[in-house]
Amino acid sequence: MRLSQLAAFVFSLIFIAMAVQAQQQPGPGAQPLASPTPTPAPLPPPTVKIDAYRGAAARIIGAALTSDRAYSRLAHLTDTIGNRLSGSQNLERGIEWAVAEMKRDGLDNVRAEKVMVPHWVRGEESLEMLTPVPRKLQVLGLGNSIGTPAEGISAEAIVVRNFAELDRLGEQVRGKIVVYNAPYTNYGATVVYRLQGASRAARYGAVAALVRSITPVSLQTPHTGAMNYDPNQPKIPVAAVTIEVAEFLQRMNDRGERPTLRLKMEAKFLPDAESANVIAELKGSEKPDEVIVIGGHFDSWDVGQGAHDDGGGCIVAWETVRLLKELGLRPRRTIRVVLYTNEENGLRGGNAYRDAHKAEIAKHILAIESDSGVYRPEGFGLAATAPSQARANMLEIAKLLSGIGADQIASDGGGADIGPITREGVIGASLDVDGTHYFDIHHTPADTLDKVNPRELALCVATMAVMAYTVADMPESFGGK
Ligand SMILES: [Zn+2]
């Protein structure tokens, strides 16, 4: 999931609302109306002195770009262990492997912190058109969906482009399968059909729902992802279809044809399973109780290999501390890697981390999440709520990354797994990468290792390591407290 994009969307709505409000207030005298874009407050001067870190940054970047450890570990995780849905044996095998390897790396305080996770299983699934022409259609159930009866659900399909069309049809969808054919605009705006589509159709009596995959492009690639049921509506099964299938059904719908579909899904929940957040540290030399936490989510969907989402993000955080240790760069504060479990369909790992570390939350200096794929890094997104001193320091430290083009600090950032601790006041940030192709393969059978460029992965490691090391080592306070 990309919470940061959702957050950016929400923030943009807030800014628009603020701008509208500003325009409604009477302007001062005959002066023109204020620009709707709020002028950012000037930043204080940075307190970090980056000249002291140029040598370390050069060594880190050189080492990251000449090591194949990150890629070879990601290859083991994706090829030998495979995808890692919560509750699966693969995920637990992956956790055991990571703990053993981190100990072999000589990292500090390596441990698995137990987390109970939901255990959703997909089972077999299929979608067929029965009339007017029998045809098999590609389908991929949405995570957390219920299944269908064994004989499937057979009903007429009715296609809508958005919720407004659904609401206009209202009771006309009773007994039918609602197909949402909402074209992708951006992730945050389009993912609502995946999250809410089933319950909003069930409200009018629909018996199942199909959602056009949340993606800008498709080569018959269906995208799964989590959905949520509104507790006040009946639960109906819901699955993703490809753009090709959604457009095919739309064309039939627009010609007045009323195809009959049969959806079969075995999806169900088993009892909660035991899993864990994996933790390893590079213990600080002077202020070991002050923590910079970096990480990604170790679980993935049950299709593809979870290579970009988010095996790569986990490996970037892990390799950051392994590389610093290898280089003998032990910072003043502790850098802690967390490989969170169950981000995709529950967020139990992120919540469990907050609960298990409540007593030391105030000592968390910064939390960085890498969950946007491991493409060419552009820099970081720093939470809009971050103190201006933190922003000034991050912008300054990012200058150490200008040589590899990763020196941008975006006006907002964060992540799903660090959400629980950032809501407790920890400064949050995301590793930002070139997102041009992330949503082409996100949550699909095509999220596999061949989509990962080894050099771009190494650049992500370099970017994360330079930022984490400098924040952890700078003698001054990062956030200005
Ligand atoms: Zn993810």
Side-chain angles (χ1 to χ4, degrees):
M1 191 158 93
R2 274 209 66 179
L3 200 72
S4 58
Q5 296 211 343
L6 194 60
F9 176 67
V10 171
F11 272 114
S12 63
L13 287 182
I14 292 169
F15 277 125
I16 290 166
M18 285 165 61
V20 167
Q21 203 175 34
Q23 291 193 344
Q24 283 165 350
Q25 286 162 0
Q31 301 248 332
L33 286 174
S35 156
T37 311
T39 312
L43 294 175
T47 52
V48 65
K49 313 275 187 298
I50 59 164
D51 280 344
Y53 292 101
R54 289 191 194 280
R59 287 180 67 207
I60 291 167
I61 293 167
L65 291 180
T66 50
S67 168
D68 66 353
R69 188 71 64 97
Y71 189 80
S72 64
R73 279 203 163 136
L74 185 57
H76 182 88
L77 180 64
T78 52
D79 286 341
T80 307
I81 292 169
N83 60 46
R84 304 167 299 283
L85 186 60
S86 290
S88 68
Q89 273 200 338
N90 279 7
L91 177 58
E92 297 317 301
R93 279 174 57 216
I95 288 170
E96 282 171 30
W97 167 75
V99 167
E101 288 288 298
M102 286 169 158
K103 285 181 176 165
R104 201 167 305 158
D105 288 345
L107 301 179
D108 305 315
N109 295 327
V110 176
R111 61 202 188 268
E113 293 185 347
K114 181 181 159 181
V115 182
M116 295 303 291
V117 294
H119 190 185
W120 179 83
V121 290
R122 171 182 307 284
E124 295 297 317
E125 51 194 19
S126 65
L127 178 66
E128 290 168 84
M129 187 162 70
L130 303 176
T131 65
V133 188
R135 185 174 294 180
K136 286 190 174 173
L137 302 173
Q138 202 158 11
V139 74
L140 187 60
L142 294 185
N144 303 340
S145 176
I146 61 167
T148 65
E151 69 275 16
I153 290 174
S154 300
E156 194 176 284
I158 187 158
V159 185
V160 297
R161 287 188 189 275
N162 49 50
F163 287 133
E165 279 190 20
L166 174 76
D167 291 337
R168 276 199 294 277
L169 288 169
E171 287 292 323
Q172 292 177 54
V173 309
R174 183 164 295 280
K176 294 179 180 161
I177 296 175
V178 167
V179 182
Y180 291 98
N181 180 31
Y184 182 92
T185 51
N186 62 65
Y187 189 70
T190 318
V191 77
V192 293
Y193 291 93
R194 191 186 83 205
L195 294 169
Q196 304 171 11
S199 289
R200 292 187 60 164
R203 181 178 156 215
Y204 295 118
V207 290
L210 297 170
V211 179
R212 168 173 165 146
S213 290
I214 312 306
T215 181
V217 301
S218 179
L219 294 171
Q220 285 283 14
T221 332
H223 295 236
T224 189
M227 58 79 55
N228 299 318
Y229 285 115
D230 176 344
N232 299 317
Q233 302 300 337
K235 289 184 177 183
I236 60 171
V238 59
V241 291
T242 62
I243 292 180
E244 291 88 341
V245 167
E247 287 290 323
F248 167 65
L249 294 172
Q250 180 81 59
R251 292 191 298 273
M252 296 188 82
N253 189 86
D254 293 350
R255 289 192 294 261
E257 300 171 38
R258 287 283 176 262
T260 311
L261 305 180
R262 177 161 64 204
L263 176 66
K264 284 189 185 179
M265 292 170 66
E266 290 181 347
K268 63 179 174 186
F269 276 102
L270 299 174
D272 282 2
E274 190 172 327
S275 185
N277 289 333
V278 176
I279 298 188
E281 294 175 350
L282 187 59
K283 202 90 195 142
S285 59
E286 283 180 24
K287 298 174 176 176
D289 57 330
E290 294 189 9
V291 177
I292 286 78
V293 63
I294 59 176
H297 65 87
F298 213 39
D299 65 307
S300 76
W301 284 105
D302 57 337
V303 291
Q305 296 183 322
H308 274 290
D309 188 16
D310 182 25
C314 290
I315 295 292
V316 164
W318 175 358
E319 183 64 6
T320 288
V321 288
R322 191 203 67 80
L323 204 64
L324 293 174
K325 184 179 169 62
E326 184 182 272
L327 293 170
L329 291 168
R330 185 174 290 273
R332 290 182 171 85
R333 300 177 188 81
T334 294
I335 301 178
R336 178 181 295 163
V337 176
V338 185
L339 313 183
Y340 302 91
T341 193
N342 185 229
E343 188 271 346
E344 294 291 6
N345 63 334
L347 212 64
R348 299 266 188 98
N351 286 321
Y353 180 83
R354 173 202 56 207
D355 294 344
H357 297 270
K358 252 198 165 114
E360 54 166 354
I361 293 281
K363 294 278 193 178
H364 280 54
I365 305 304
L366 174 66
I368 309 178
E369 183 162 332
S370 172
D371 186 17
S372 304
V374 282
Y375 299 93
R376 186 181 56 73
E378 295 177 340
F380 295 85
L382 179 62
T385 52
S388 55
Q389 188 64 64
R391 186 169 299 280
N393 282 330
M394 205 177 226
L395 279 161
E396 184 72 3
I397 297 168
K399 291 176 183 170
L400 298 170
L401 294 161
S402 61
I404 56 170
D407 55 345
Q408 295 176 32
I409 303 298
S411 59
D412 199 9
D417 282 308
I418 61 173
I421 59 170
T422 58
R423 282 189 287 277
E424 299 286 324
V426 177
I427 301 171
S430 43
L431 176 69
D432 284 1
V433 300
D434 174 3
T436 310
H437 292 295
Y438 184 53
F439 289 106
D440 301 2
I441 56 153
H442 180 248
H443 298 178
T444 73
D447 182 4
T448 46
L449 186 66
D450 51 284
K451 309 304 186 304
V452 175
N453 177 316
R455 183 173 168 83
E456 291 181 347
L457 174 66
L459 286 167
C460 285
V461 172
T463 302
M464 181 71 95
V466 168
M467 182 57 69
Y469 175 74
T470 312
V471 172
D473 195 63
M474 60 187 273
E476 308 80 10
S477 154
F478 171 68
K481 273 192 290 186

